[in-house]
Amino acid sequence: MNTMTENNQVKKMVQEKYAAIASQQADENRASCCGATGCGTGTEVYNIMSDDYTELEGYNKDADLGLGCGLPTEYAHIKEGDTVLDLGSGAGNDCFIARRLVGESGKVLGIDFTPEMLRLARANAEKLGFENIEFYQGDIENMPLKDGIADVVVSNCVLNLVPHKENVFKEIFRVLKPGAHFSISDIVLEGALPGKWKEVAELYAGCVSGAIQKDEYLDIIKRSGFENVEIQKGKIIQIPDSILQQYLTAEETEAFKNSGTRISSITVNATRPSGGTSCCAPGCCD
């Protein structure tokens, strides 16, 4: 199987999993250890990663599917009048938080490639009467947006799902205004995952199998041309034995727990330099 075919299959699998999650009630998704099609859909992994949004201004219960791993809007230094872009906007949770911060004079854009999620987000925005939020269908590796459109880019537990993270950061650089910044929450690794986890669709959709090494993640950001790269928050994700044992034998579970591997959520901020038009000098992204 060639790389392009494999990447397309990964994207199709993720899209199908998120379409299933979008089809169930938000309360059910937040409260249950099981996803849209029963236990083992990956949603139970999400529930141990998600942070509590309920105290943030602009929070909308119907838009919170419990699928994040951080609070990127809390660290994004969003100002009134800003244009904010949310990558992998889902049912609109982070968009509605951002909208409260940008006010009537600002604008919020969301992009997602799952039609079912977009329908939820647009229905939520219409119900709330928000006219300065727009949702687009598209692949964040190749966004249907013009250059320099955003003051701030946010994303919550999405980039780990994308096969080519380098392409996403190049696109983030492109759509940010010079001098603008991003705040992204994501899952990263220190150490090795069990090899067979790469074949488990549920763990890929649950943000585990697609995660890369923390140092590599930060290096991609720097090589994409960003500066002032800073980890704003980090937390270790502990996967309970009840989940591990769905995919590993008892011996494999014990070996993994003793391996020193760490699965972490990080929220990272970085800035597009004020000068220049290209994210890479010749040869820097080879």
Side-chain angles (χ1 to χ4, degrees):
M1 184 185 303
N2 63 45
T3 301
M4 182 174 293
T5 300
E6 184 177 354
N7 290 341
N8 288 338
Q9 287 185 354
V10 167
K11 290 181 179 181
K12 183 174 185 294
M13 176 271 294
V14 170
Q15 191 174 51
E16 289 172 351
K17 292 290 180 183
Y18 278 73
I21 291 169
S23 69
Q24 70 181 19
Q25 295 296 316
D27 282 342
E28 178 187 357
N29 198 41
R30 284 192 299 268
S32 175
C33 76
C34 303
T37 56
C39 287
T41 62
T43 311
E44 68 272 30
V45 181
Y46 269 121
N47 289 340
I48 64 173
M49 295 179 180
S50 59
D51 279 352
D52 184 10
Y53 270 82
T54 57
E55 299 301 316
L56 298 183
E57 289 190 67
Y59 173 77
N60 181 264
K61 182 179 178 181
D62 291 338
D64 183 7
L65 301 183
L67 302 178
C69 61
L71 301 172
T73 49
E74 188 176 16
Y75 298 90
H77 308 296
I78 297 169
K79 305 186 302 297
E80 187 171 352
D82 278 348
T83 294
V84 177
L85 170 62
D86 180 20
L87 308 184
S89 47
N93 194 27
D94 286 285
C95 288
F96 299 135
I97 301 293
R99 195 267 180 191
R100 174 67 179 81
L101 297 169
V102 304
E104 296 290 343
S105 62
K107 190 171 186 178
V108 179
L109 311 175
I111 182 169
D112 203 289
F113 80 153
T114 303
E116 291 81 0
M117 285 293 183
L118 287 164
R119 282 196 288 271
L120 275 180
R122 288 166 178 160
N124 287 330
E126 183 177 359
K127 182 168 55 179
L128 293 166
F130 293 158
E131 296 183 355
N132 57 340
I133 297 182
E134 298 175 6
F135 293 100
Y136 296 86
Q137 183 170 3
D139 188 333
I140 61 174
E141 289 190 47
N142 185 22
M143 299 184 213
L145 300 171
K146 65 182 182 181
D147 296 359
I149 196 173
D151 297 290
V152 183
V153 169
V154 296
S155 187
N156 196 348
C157 218
V158 171
L159 270 65
N160 56 77
L161 302 171
V162 180
H164 287 298
K165 294 163 182 60
E166 297 90 343
N167 293 346
V168 181
F169 281 110
K170 289 177 184 177
E171 280 289 88
I172 294 171
F173 192 102
R174 180 182 68 79
V175 299
L176 279 171
K177 299 174 183 178
H181 64 278
F182 70 72
S183 180
I184 291 174
S185 296
D186 217 346
I187 299 297
V188 294
L189 304 175
E190 293 175 85
L193 293 176
K196 66 182 183 182
W197 279 13
K198 292 290 184 181
E199 308 301 320
V200 179
E202 289 82 6
L203 289 176
Y204 205 107
C207 292
V208 175
S209 295
I212 62 173
Q213 297 296 314
K214 178 181 175 180
D215 288 347
E216 180 185 357
Y217 193 98
L218 297 175
D219 189 53
I220 289 172
I221 295 172
K222 294 170 184 175
R223 287 191 289 111
S224 297
F226 291 98
E227 59 186 17
N228 304 322
V229 180
E230 175 191 6
I231 294 179
Q232 300 165 297
K233 181 182 178 181
K235 65 176 181 180
I236 304 299
I237 305 298
Q238 300 289 352
I239 301 182
D241 286 1
S242 59
I243 294 176
L244 291 174
Q245 289 168 3
Q246 293 181 40
Y247 309 106
L248 299 174
T249 66
E251 292 77 13
E252 289 170 334
T253 297
E254 196 62 28
F256 173 70
K257 290 166 64 177
N258 293 329
S259 68
T261 294
R262 296 204 303 180
I263 303 170
S264 302
S265 164
I266 61 170
T267 299
V268 58
N269 182 292
T271 303
R272 172 177 169 168
S274 296
T277 58
S278 173
C279 72
C280 290
C284 79
C285 290
D286 292 345

